[in-house]
Structures are given as structure tokens and as C-alpha cells.
Amino acid sequence: MLRYFVSKLLISVVLLLGVLTLAFFMLRMTGDPVALMMSRDASPEEMEAFREMMGFNRPVSVQFLDFLSKAAVGNFGNSLHYATPALPLVMERLSATVKLAVIGLLMAILIGVPLGLTGGLNPGSPLDSLGRFWGLLGQSVPNFWLALLLILVFAVRLHWFPSFGADQAKSVVLPAFVLSLAVSSQILRMTRSTVLEVRGEDFVRTARSKGLNQATIYFKHILRNVAIPLISVIGVQFGYMLGGSIYIETIFAWPGMGQLLSQAIGWRDFPLVQALAIFTSVVVLALNLATDLAYALLDPRIRYGK
Amino acid sequence: MAVILEVKDLVTKFYTLDGVVNAVNGVSFTLDEGETLAVVGESGCGKSVSMMSVMGLISSPPGKVESGEALYYTSQGARDLLKLSANEMNEVRGGQIGFVFQDPQTSLNPILKVGEQISESLMKHLGISARDARLRALELLAEVGISDPELRYNAYPFQMSGGMRQRVMIAIAVACTPRIVIADEPTTALDVTIQAQIVNLLKQLRAKMGVATIWITHDLGLVAGLADRVLVMYGGKIMEAAPVDLLYDNPCHPYTVGLLGALPRLDIHEAKRLVSIDGAPPDATIPINHCPFAWRCIHAFEHCWNENPVLTNVEEAHQVACFHVFEKGG
Amino acid sequence: MVSKTFSPKADSRLEIKTTFKDRLAFLARLLWRDKGGTIGLIMFFIVVFAAVFASVITARDPLDQDLINSKMPPAWEEGGAWEQPFGTDSLGRDMFSRILSGARVSLTVGFFGVLIAATLGLVIGAIAGYFGGRVDSIIMGPINLILAMPYLLFVVFIAAILGRSLLNVILIFGITDSPIFARVARGEVLRIRESAYVESAISAGARSGRIIFDHIIPNLIGPLITLATFEMSAMIFYEAGLGFLGLSVPPDVPSWGNMLAEGRKYLVNDHWLTTFPGLAIMFTSMGMNLAGDWLRDVLDPRLRRSRK
């Protein structure tokens, strides 16, 4: 168990190094990061001054080591737009994104798990058909489009919810719902297929051969085996929500990291974009690690080191 | 000996995308108290499906028991297992009839302690407390030859070897002192040395508890030292039924003869090549009105292609379904 | 009673010989039984048809501006006309022909993106899985890294750096999506490699190349086709998303994402500028997902058996 966790932790550290390396080189992939960050009508002198200031004139290896050593202490350089350190700007936005993702995830679980369970236990039933339709919608409806439609209907026409911002309690409803749709579909499909699979396992037949009643078989034998992979899907999906709320935060003007990202792209503030990408990756990696830990606690096969 | 189970004209079908599979086509047999009955045949011959049908363990859909009776005799009289409600059936399963399945790897719940998997059956059928169930489960673990039951009670299946897991399965099967144990190829998935141990364990338990046993297997060699009576199945039908001695001394059905011929024998010294039965089992999705073995039978003649033979006495207690035996004198 | 050793376990019914025609008939029967798959394939073919024959279906040029007739509503709403069934946009361009052209952009991105991703992934994954050991760990390290990262975020990051062009979008998707194909290909290769028939081919002295082409590639096709269907649908989705953020094809190209970004400005009064591109994305994606589900069921016999 401890060995399992330590190895997962080591993998996360390696992945983190990989993320930093990728982020560093991606910024330099076009050859000249200066041209990327400055407006086209900047004079050569301005560009040279900027290059000097950012340290882009040094050899790449020196820049990389400098980048890594600064990153180790949480320094990702300054935002060009705000002219202040990038990381605090990103952290400031974290809570709004987390709030949106948590509420969205709760919605997704509340929709996806019950529908997936009933569908898997009674394939072909009307509720199953509803569930499969929902699963299909969640896969096929683009969330940026759904966001616009919901604004049109529920904010502009019906005035039930505000169309943007985060200043009211009910502001969160529309963006969280849009964010939850695809995830609820994933959770639903996964739950349904796992239930179908577990239901056909030999040990369920053994449970039936013992004369246990249906409820015991469902709750004790089937659902506990479904819960384990479900936890890991939910963990992964939560990570997806944290890194995937860019459209929704932009459309609903939700003051989170996604909105900051699309603003930063507009400002050509690439140090800020880079900091956002790295920080979100770190959060997602930490989340994956937590998921692995939860998985291990639930599954005796991992808990007692297989 | 009193009859404990009597199955009549059992028919089971599976409704699949590839067509309707006629898995069991009119199977009838009886089981006496304390008797060991071996059901022998190739995979797909319907031997497991017949027994699972009787016990309501066919997954439905796609499976469906179409017709037949399965009379279970108790001191209160006979009850048709196929007509019991779900709750009534649950009383019988696990309580009166225990099961040992083929693959101990997959037949135990991977995330429950093995002790709990024994206890839950005890609590359900004997109505005892969790504490008493635990104590009884520990006794059972010892009875099936697992050392250090206290420790093993809290183990998970993946922490045990295949043989040990099968012992746990057997403990579950006999937990509530059932009157019948159905063992579905209980040794197929195990190593040869472990196989012998498991066979011996089941024999001991049978001697001690006097439980009637239905032993499903494809291995005729195993049957000789084990069974009182043998049913040979093919194509969802019983081809031959006889006490074990009669079957070995006087096998009548060409299929039985083939199965016996395919056995390696130690008492014949000359290095003879193993005899084999040519051909493959029939496609069960095509309904037939002739002998299902006719395709592969070297003795098949016109009658075999025109009518499906029924089980008929060839001698006392020995039945065969074969026109060749009766019309051409075997 | 001759030849072949009699093995009671062998289920030779599975080996009954089938002709190609039988198999086609069987597939057709399966397709007919799965209504979702049938509908999905029809939807997909409608989109392909629209993309290929866009200029035949409507004579209007998707780029022709007509400022006098700008923001005309769809035909069935007041002020609309059947000559321009889906209305016109803010520059008076015909929405119907723009939607048809959008199908071209989406399918181009989806098709070539998947082609690159699948080819790269197949080669990388097959090498990792086939040779295993150190080769495997060296290859799969970066692959797992990319798979662990928040995908959308990095695609947005790269697209913002590279700038707007069709080729860039295709390359971005082709490269960033290849790890998924690599992982699936690797897993399948590992599984096939350990199967009895490949082991016997190896022990019989077959060369690596022979084994890869005769045994491994044919077995990979099923899972990869299924994956390709889902990934193509995902790419069409992501392309539209990038377009919506102004990071996909140049703004003058009529792609569904660009149209949505444009339509958003007029959401309150001229909903059709938003409605139709979104419906088009949904229609395409739904068709491909339905077809993909069906393909998965058909190409995976284990699943087929357990279905009703």
C-alpha cells in the first residue's frame, strides 16, 4: 500500500517535470517568443529591449535551468498585462473555478449515477432508454453552444437566472449545469456498462446460488464492485472540469482560471498563459494522485499490495 | 433409496442475436438421496445449463426455461422448483442445495473477505447472528482443510491460491448442510495435484454428510472412482444413463464408446494411438428432428436421420437413446 | 474415427467457415437490429454528402456578401424566404451554404486529424507493445505524460502560439491525439502478442515483420476503427471549440466554430446565427457517436455475445 502510493507519487513528480519542460518548449516552438508576445507594429529597438528584459537572448539551456529553478519556488515570471507575478493572479482565480467544478460535478453525479444504475440493472426499460438518450446528448451537444442557448432561453427570455457574472447565488446554476452535461454523460455510460458487466460476473451467480435476496446481491455484491471504478472516473472527470471550463467561464464571464486564460490569450500575455497551463496541470496531477489513493483505500487488491 | 430430485422433460433455450440456441432439449433424470450422479459431455452439450435451469440460475434474458418439471422431494412432499417464487427459490438455493462452480478465480467476490462470503449464507439460511455465523464459518474453513482459519477468515480471494479458493467455494456450498450439492466442473480450472485433493475433499464431505451430489464434468476418467451413476449428454439430450460399472463394462451409445475410447488407459500396455471422435458438436441454433449425434456417428443409418431417438432400457437400470443399438444390435 | 485428437473442451463450432458474402449479410443483419447504429450511419452519410456536394446542393457562394439582405431570419420565421432557408448572417451571407461549407472544414479536420493521429499512434504503440521492455518504457513515458495533462488547455495553449490556419489545426489534433491511439494500439499488441497463435508463430521462427503484418495489424483494425470514429467526432467538437475562441481556421473561412463565435455577438436578436451551426455540430457528433457505439459492439465479439 505504502509502496503503491510512493510509486504513484514518484510518477506524479516525473509528470510534473514533464509538464514544466513541455510548457517551456511550447512557448519557444515558433522560434521567437518575442514576436509572439509583442504587437506587430513594435519597433526593432522595442523588441530588442523586450528580449533583453525577458532574458530570451540567453542560450536556451540557461533559460531552461533558470525557468526550472524559479518554478521550483513558485515563480513563473510576470504577467505582461498586469506587470505583476503570474502565479498569484492564477491562484486568485482558483476558488471560482473550483466552486464551479464542484457544483458541476455534484450535478453530474446526481444525474449520471442513478440513471446509470437503473439502466444497467434493467436494460431496455423506459428509464434505461432515457438514460441512453441523455448519454448520447451529453456526448453530442457542444457545451459552448448549449451555454448560449441556455442564456437565450433562461436568462434573456425567461429571466430566471442571470446571464453572466458570479455575484448572485443562483449565478452558478447555468454554468455548472452546462459544465456537468458531458461529465454526467460519461458517468452515466460508465456506471451503466460497469453494472452490466459486474451483473454477469461469476461471483454474482455464486451470490445467487447462496439464495441471497435481490437487494443484498445489488447492494453488497454488485454496487460495491461498481463503486471502485466509478470513483476513478469521477476523479478524472473532476480534473477535466477544472481544465475544461474555459468556454463556459468565458461565455458566462465567470471569474475563474478559464476566463483568465481566454483573456490572457487575447492580451498575448503568454507568461500568464504558461503559468495557467502549468498550475492547472499541477492541480489535475494532484487530483489524479488523490483518486489513486481513494481507489487503493476502496480496493483490497491494491490495499494489500497485489 | 428415496428419490430426492426428479427432472422431467426439461427444455431451455437462449435467445441470442445469432439465433435461438436450443441448449437443453428434453432432459429427464432422477437423483437419489446420498447418490453421486455424474453428468458427462463436451462443452456446450447442455450439462451445466440443465442444472442451472433446475436451480433458476440461468440469466434471463437471454436464457429461458421453456418447459419441464423439477420435482424436489422433502418430508412434506414434492415441490416443482421451476414454479417456485423468487423468495421460495432463495430458501432452497444455498440452504437445501449448494453449488461449487468451475472457476474459483472468478466465482468469489474479489472485494469481500472470504469469511464474510461464507457467513452471509449462514446468516440468511440458519437465521443466526453475525457472531455465531463467524464461529460456524471458522469451523467450516477447518473442515475443508484450510489451516489457520482465524487468519484466512479475513483474507481476500486474491490472497489465496486456486486450490484454497475452491476449498472456500466448497465451504460455502456445504455451509448450511444441504441435501444436494451441484459441482460444476469443480476441478477443471485447477492444477492436477490440486484436482486430486479437491476430489478427495468432496468425497470425504459426501461420506460424512450423506449429501447427494451432481458432478458435472467432461472427464470420464474422473467419474470412475467417484460416481454411482452416469448421464452422458450430447446436443442438449441424455444419450446414455447407467450405473457407473455397467457404463464402463457395457457402453452402448457410439458417443459413449467414443468418449471411453478417447481415454488414455493404463491397463493396456501396447502404445496405442488415442482414438478420437471426428467432427464437431452440432450448431445448436438449428432445430433438428433426428439424432443430434448422427453427423459424427460412424454407425448412423437412415432411421437416425428421420427420427430423434428416446432413452430406452437396454438392460436393468441402463438406458440408451440410439437406433443403432436396438435395431442393428450395437 | 480417425485423425485429430479428440478434445472435449474445444468448441469447434466457432470455426465454421464463412464466406465474405455471409459475413456482409451478417453485418447487415446486425446493423438492422441496432436501430441506433443505422440512424447514426445515415446521419454521418448525410454530413459527408453535404460536404462533398455542397456546391451542387446550393448555388449560393458561402462567401458572397449582400449587406442589404443581412441578418435575414430562416424561411419559416417572419421576414424569411425559402431562397435562403436558414437566413443570412450579419454580412448577408447565406447561412445554409455556410453550414454546408462548415461540414467540409469539420470533416477535413476530423479526417486528416484522425489519419495523422491513428498512423502515428499505431506505429508508436505497435513498436512499444511489440518490443516491450526498455523500448516500451522509453516510448510510453512521454505518451503517459500527454495523456495525464488537461487536454483542452494544452490544445488551446498550442493553438494560441501557432496561430490560425487549417494546417496548424490538423497538425495540432493529429499530434496531440496520437497518444490515445498509441495506448490502445499498445494494449492490443500486448494482448495479441501473448495469445497462443502468435507465440506459436514466433516459436515456429516467423520473422518480426511477418508477425506484425500477418497477425497483429489485422487484429488491430477493429479497435482502431472504433476509436477513430469517436476521436473524429471529438476533433470536430474541439475544432468548433477552438473556432469559438478564435483559435482555429482563419476568420474568413466558414467553419461552424467561427460561425458560432460570430453568432454569439447577435445572440439576443438573431438566434439563428447561433442555432444552426450548433445543430450542425450536434447532428454530426451524434451520428458519429451512434455509429461508433454500433461499431464497437460489432467489432468486439465479446460484447456482441452478451447483448440481447
Side-chain angles (χ1 to χ4, degrees):
Chain A
M1 172 67 187
L2 189 67
R3 233 175 62 199
Y4 169 82
F5 186 64
V6 169
S7 78
K8 289 281 176 196
L9 191 66
L10 281 177
I11 291 173
S12 301
V13 171
V14 173
L15 287 178
L16 180 61
L17 271 175
V19 167
L20 289 171
T21 313
L22 267 179
F24 175 84
F25 284 103
M26 275 201 288
L27 202 55
R28 285 155 181 81
M29 142 174 96
T30 50
D32 186 12
V34 175
L36 208 61
M37 295 181 206
M38 297 211 72
S39 69
R40 264 182 210 132
D41 39 74
S43 68
E45 292 78 32
E46 282 172 323
M47 298 204 29
E48 218 34 60
F50 182 76
R51 192 185 308 275
E52 189 85 19
M53 185 186 90
M54 299 294 285
F56 289 139
N57 50 351
R58 297 171 296 166
V60 173
S61 55
V62 174
Q63 289 184 44
F64 185 50
L65 287 178
D66 186 47
F67 169 76
L68 282 187
S69 58
K70 281 184 175 157
V73 293
N75 179 358
F76 294 105
N78 284 356
S79 152
L80 300 178
H81 180 82
Y82 291 101
T84 59
L87 189 63
L89 290 171
V90 176
M91 304 270 274
E92 209 166 83
R93 301 293 191 108
L94 178 65
S95 70
T97 296
V98 169
K99 180 184 172 192
L100 184 62
V102 167
I103 294 175
L105 187 69
L106 285 178
M107 285 184 180
I109 293 173
L110 285 177
I111 297 168
V113 172
L115 274 177
L117 285 180
T118 47
L121 291 174
N122 314 292
S125 64
L127 262 179
D128 183 37
S129 306
L130 176 72
R132 294 183 70 168
F133 184 64
W134 186 269
L136 185 65
L137 273 189
Q139 276 186 317
S140 324
V141 176
N143 57 14
F144 40 91
W145 180 62
L146 180 69
L148 295 175
L149 285 193
L150 292 186
I151 286 177
L152 190 60
V153 175
F154 292 102
V156 177
R157 299 266 156 87
L158 296 173
H159 301 289
W160 288 1
F161 299 101
S163 61
F164 64 89
D167 40 335
Q168 298 177 39
K170 61 183 180 180
S171 295
V172 77
V173 174
L174 288 184
F177 175 75
V178 176
L179 191 57
S180 79
L181 179 70
V183 175
S184 72
S185 152
Q186 287 286 336
I187 291 178
L188 188 158
R189 290 165 73 95
M190 154 77 197
T191 308
R192 180 177 184 275
S193 66
T194 314
V195 170
L196 275 176
E197 191 185 309
V198 172
R199 218 168 61 122
E201 294 275 2
D202 285 350
F203 65 79
V204 173
R205 186 180 59 179
T206 306
R208 287 173 70 201
S209 83
K210 290 186 215 173
L212 304 177
N213 57 35
Q214 209 63 302
T216 313
I217 294 176
Y218 283 167
F219 287 103
K220 197 167 173 186
H221 290 273
I222 297 181
L223 290 196
R224 280 167 77 162
N225 276 285
V226 171
I228 293 171
L230 194 59
I231 293 288
S232 117
V233 166
I234 288 175
V236 169
Q237 291 297 325
F238 189 57
Y240 158 83
M241 287 175 132
L242 288 175
S245 55
I246 171 164
Y247 306 126
I248 291 156
E249 290 191 7
T250 307
I251 294 170
F252 288 100
W254 185 263
M257 299 192 299
Q259 191 201 27
L260 186 62
L261 177 65
S262 69
Q263 288 170 337
I265 288 171
W267 299 325
R268 307 182 75 73
D269 186 351
F270 279 92
L272 186 54
V273 174
Q274 193 184 40
L276 272 163
I278 294 170
F279 184 74
T280 313
S281 301
V282 170
V283 172
V284 169
L285 284 178
L287 207 65
N288 288 350
L289 194 64
T291 307
D292 283 337
L293 191 64
Y295 199 102
L297 287 175
L298 279 170
D299 191 334
R301 284 163 291 191
I302 296 175
R303 200 177 344 145
Y304 295 104
K306 195 174 180 180
Chain B
M1 276 277 182
V3 171
I4 187 168
L5 180 68
E6 183 176 14
V7 173
K8 291 181 190 165
D9 287 321
L10 185 71
V11 176
T12 302
K13 294 181 179 178
F14 288 89
Y15 294 84
T16 71
L17 265 184
D18 300 331
V20 180
V21 177
N22 303 292
V24 179
N25 307 314
V27 159
S28 306
F29 66 92
T30 60
L31 177 72
D32 288 346
E33 261 175 49
E35 180 189 36
T36 298
L37 180 69
V39 185
V40 184
E42 291 164 88
S43 25
C45 73
K47 56 190 192 302
S48 291
V49 177
S50 311
M51 299 310 150
M52 297 303 144
S53 304
V54 169
M55 297 310 147
L57 288 179
I58 294 290
S59 49
S60 168
K64 187 165 184 255
V65 179
E66 298 278 328
S67 58
E69 281 179 47
L71 299 173
Y72 173 65
Y73 293 91
T74 59
S75 47
Q76 282 97 45
R79 290 198 291 174
D80 185 350
L81 295 179
L82 301 181
K83 294 199 175 62
L84 295 185
S85 70
N87 280 337
E88 290 169 329
M89 196 66 213
N90 281 339
E91 295 298 322
V92 175
R93 274 200 302 253
Q96 316 264 320
I97 301 175
F99 293 83
V100 182
F101 294 106
Q102 177 171 347
D103 192 352
Q105 199 87 2
T106 57
S107 294
L108 291 170
N109 189 330
I111 60 165
L112 280 185
K113 295 173 178 171
V114 295
E116 285 176 45
Q117 301 191 46
I118 303 175
S119 299
E120 65 175 348
S121 185
L122 292 164
M123 286 158 71
K124 152 94 193 185
H125 293 288
L126 308 182
I128 56 179
S129 70
R131 258 189 68 216
D132 291 345
R134 194 185 123 85
L135 292 176
R136 176 79 186 107
L138 290 173
E139 282 173 30
L140 281 162
L141 284 171
E143 270 176 61
V144 296
I146 288 179
S147 56
D148 205 351
E150 288 276 352
L151 181 76
R152 293 300 177 185
Y153 185 94
N154 289 317
Y156 290 93
F158 73 91
Q159 294 169 313
M160 296 183 148
S161 67
M164 221 188 287
R165 267 180 279 199
Q166 198 59 306
R167 287 174 192 271
V168 172
M169 271 306 297
I170 292 171
I172 292 173
V174 301
C176 308
T177 49
R179 296 173 70 211
I180 304 175
V181 167
I182 298 180
D184 187 357
E185 310 225 15
T187 60
T188 310
L190 303 173
D191 288 345
V192 181
T193 47
I194 311 291
Q195 284 186 9
Q197 289 174 16
I198 295 295
V199 169
N200 281 334
L201 174 62
L202 277 165
K203 276 189 194 170
Q204 278 169 27
L205 289 172
R206 185 185 64 195
K208 195 161 132 197
M209 305 170 68
V211 59
T213 312
I214 297 178
W215 194 296
I216 302 168
T217 178
H218 63 265
D219 185 357
L220 254 183
L222 188 73
V223 168
L226 189 77
D228 300 315
R229 214 150 48 83
V230 183
L231 306 178
V232 178
M233 283 189 69
Y234 188 87
K237 287 188 54 170
I238 295 175
M239 289 290 153
E240 186 160 7
V244 67
D245 302 339
L246 287 182
L247 190 87
Y248 279 85
D249 291 345
N250 180 24
C252 292
H253 199 283
Y255 180 63
T256 315
V257 174
L259 279 180
L260 286 169
L263 276 183
R265 294 188 61 162
L266 293 173
D267 53 336
I268 298 174
H269 291 293
E270 52 186 301
K272 219 173 76 179
R273 266 190 67 189
L274 287 182
V275 185
S276 69
I277 304 179
D278 216 16
D283 181 352
T285 55
I286 305 162
I288 51 169
N289 50 8
H290 57 79
C291 175
F293 190 60
W295 282 296
R296 292 166 79 184
C297 183
I298 48 163
H299 302 294
F301 63 107
E302 208 191 332
H303 199 173
C304 305
W305 292 104
N306 291 333
E307 200 183 333
N308 203 339
V310 292
L311 274 180
T312 315
N313 265 349
V314 64
E315 58 187 314
E316 175 70 31
H318 184 175
Q319 291 117 30
V320 182
C322 178
F323 296 124
H324 174 73
V325 171
F326 291 101
E327 292 168 26
K328 307 265 165 140
Chain C
M1 290 188 201
V2 278
S3 76
K4 281 192 273 176
T5 352
F6 174 56
S7 123
K9 284 281 328 170
D11 197 348
S12 353
R13 273 179 307 165
L14 296 174
E15 290 159 26
I16 292 172
K17 285 198 187 70
T18 47
T19 63
F20 184 67
K21 229 173 128 187
D22 288 345
R23 276 203 208 145
L24 258 160
F26 182 63
L27 273 185
R29 223 169 64 219
L30 281 179
L31 180 60
W32 182 240
R33 231 177 279 212
D34 186 338
K35 295 290 179 281
T38 318
I39 293 169
L41 275 184
I42 292 173
M43 287 166 83
F44 177 64
F45 284 128
I46 289 175
V47 177
V48 173
F49 183 82
V52 174
F53 296 104
S55 50
V56 181
I57 299 170
T58 167
R60 285 173 196 275
D61 187 317
L63 300 178
D64 268 358
Q65 299 184 7
D66 177 7
L67 290 175
I68 295 162
N69 288 316
S70 70
K71 296 200 233 165
M72 221 166 90
W76 50 90
E77 285 184 17
E78 207 185 310
W82 282 106
E83 287 79 52
Q84 298 187 302
F86 289 1
T88 60
D89 73 359
S90 60
L91 297 175
R93 294 174 294 196
D94 179 44
M95 280 301 282
F96 183 64
S97 88
R98 287 176 73 74
I99 294 283
L100 295 184
S101 295
R104 271 187 188 176
V105 178
S106 288
L107 288 183
T108 309
V109 171
F111 180 78
F112 287 104
V114 161
L115 192 69
I116 294 173
T119 314
L120 272 179
L122 176 64
V123 171
I124 295 170
I127 292 174
Y130 187 79
F131 293 102
R134 182 161 295 184
V135 178
D136 187 28
S137 8
I138 289 172
I139 292 178
M140 291 314 284
I143 298 281
N144 287 329
L145 168 66
I146 298 173
L147 287 172
M149 291 191 315
Y151 183 74
L152 177 66
L153 199 83
F154 272 81
V155 166
V156 166
F157 188 11
I158 303 172
I161 291 169
L162 289 184
R164 302 174 81 156
S165 91
L166 183 63
L167 184 66
N168 280 350
V169 172
I170 290 175
L171 284 177
I172 290 171
F173 287 134
I175 292 167
T176 57
D177 205 41
S178 62
I180 295 175
F181 284 89
R183 187 176 54 182
V184 170
R186 173 182 173 270
E188 287 295 313
V189 169
L190 275 178
R191 194 176 60 75
I192 299 163
R193 210 188 120 81
E194 274 154 26
S195 65
Y197 61 93
V198 171
E199 279 193 352
S200 65
I202 292 171
S203 63
R207 280 177 300 115
S208 289
R210 262 264 94 83
I211 293 168
I212 289 176
F213 281 101
D214 286 1
H215 297 287
I216 293 184
I217 303 266
N219 278 291
L220 276 173
I221 287 174
L224 286 187
I225 287 181
T226 309
L227 184 63
T229 314
F230 289 121
E231 290 308 303
M232 196 166 153
S233 147
M235 278 184 201
I236 289 173
F237 232 88
Y238 279 119
E239 190 280 322
L242 285 186
F244 184 69
L245 292 177
L247 294 173
S248 179
V249 290
D252 53 321
V253 176
S255 80
W256 293 336
N258 284 349
M259 290 157 86
L260 273 179
E262 158 99 4
R264 187 187 163 200
K265 297 181 207 153
Y266 310 98
L267 176 67
V268 175
N269 294 318
D270 311 314
H271 71 87
W272 62 92
L273 300 180
T274 302
T275 318
F276 291 118
L279 278 177
I281 300 170
M282 184 173 129
F283 185 85
T284 312
S285 174
M286 198 178 269
M288 300 194 67
N289 278 311
L290 282 169
D293 280 343
W294 173 73
L295 274 174
R296 179 175 50 199
D297 293 353
V298 169
L299 295 175
D300 188 345
R302 281 169 300 173
L303 280 170
R304 190 165 75 223
R305 275 170 172 256
S306 63
R307 282 168 62 96
K308 278 201 298 178

